[in-house]
Amino acid sequence: MCTMIVQQVTIAGSGKGREGWFAVKQANVSYDHPFHAPFEHALNIDFVDEAQGPGARVAVELSAEAARSLVQTIQAVLGEAEAGGHI
Amino acid sequence: MYETNMYEGMLAETVTMTGTNGDIINAYYARPLGPGPFPGMVVIHHMPGWDEWYREATRKFAHHGYAAISPNLYYRAGHGTPEDVAATVRAAGGVADAQAVGDIAGALHFLKAQPILNGKVGVWGTCSGGRHAYLAACRAPGFDAVVDCWGGRVVMAESDLNDKYPVAPLDYTKDLSCPVLGIFGADDHSPTPEQVAQHEAELKKHGKVYEFHMYDGAGHGFFYYDRPAYRQQQAVDGWQKIWAFLEKHLV
């Protein structure tokens, strides 16, 4: 926990974890040490359902550059869907 | 020093111990076989959790002749893989300093009660564990040596203090009751070399016994052979510094 930079956001959707799909209720977004990505710090997102315990987690660990690119892409896709009347 | 004609054996297992507020938590305890007496080490896991690397490190201390215990500081976050549990703790903003110090003091008392102990106990950790080790050596009486490996956030800005972290460990330096060995990487971002210098100045100011080593070409976590941060030469030398320091103060 060397940066302690973390925020939580309530979300709705599904994630596929070790034991299959489950409803994700919260996303925990941190910029701290990753477990696997080969960086000192990474933008970590854990999609979780805390009520189901620590194992109900879908994790990604991204470089800061990749995370910014992902944010832009998500915004672009949502914008396109909105423009097309899908949202 | 081990020689090839010596008997060697070890028992390593999960045990339970009493932590903060009398809570029962689990811990990994590794000790050399034989009557002793052995010095003790409390081994404080890093931010990625109570994981395989820390089990190996605990056994490494036992291999070097220490009765070593590694308390699971994330016990209260529930159970799962070490990564999943550590992610839960990360999301919660870490464990409170008072809780960590209480658990580490519990591990100290566990060791002090063992008949094989020589009466002396050190505390060691890396990353957040280095910070916790230093904090415990300042706050929990009874340690005879502390080793802080690249513990970040010993120096903290006023804005980073909160209910979980009410006081920067640096500000407890006056209460440090044992010698401290610090192992750091010059390329680390937490702690930075400037923060390490600030820490050293505080130790000097209070007349504490300390030994700091700053390794060029190394960043954060350079002992971790399973991470890109591993630096072989610096890690080997760092471990040698640890064994020499502990032998001087605990054996």
Side-chain angles (χ1 to χ4, degrees), chain B residues 114-126:
Chain B
Q114 303 304 312
I116 58 170
L117 199 80
N118 76 349
K120 295 188 176 178
V121 177
V123 56
W124 169 86
T126 64

Side-chain angles (χ1 to χ4, degrees), chain A residues 5-9 27-31 43-46, chain B residues 90-91:
Chain A
I5 300 169
V6 62
Q7 294 190 23
Q8 289 89 36
V9 59
N28 300 323
V29 184
S30 65
Y31 191 75
L43 190 288
N44 311 298
I45 309 174
D46 293 323
Chain B
R90 181 173 65 191

Side-chain angles (χ1 to χ4, degrees), chain B residues 157-170:
Chain B
E158 194 75 25
S159 57
D160 291 334
L161 302 178
N162 55 37
D163 288 348
K164 282 187 172 176
Y165 314 105
V167 179
L170 182 77

Side-chain angles (χ1 to χ4, degrees), chain A residues 10-16 21-26 47-48:
Chain A
T10 300
I11 57 169
S14 292
K16 195 168 187 179
W21 289 97
F22 65 98
V24 292
K25 306 285 181 64
Q26 182 175 304
F47 300 98
V48 303

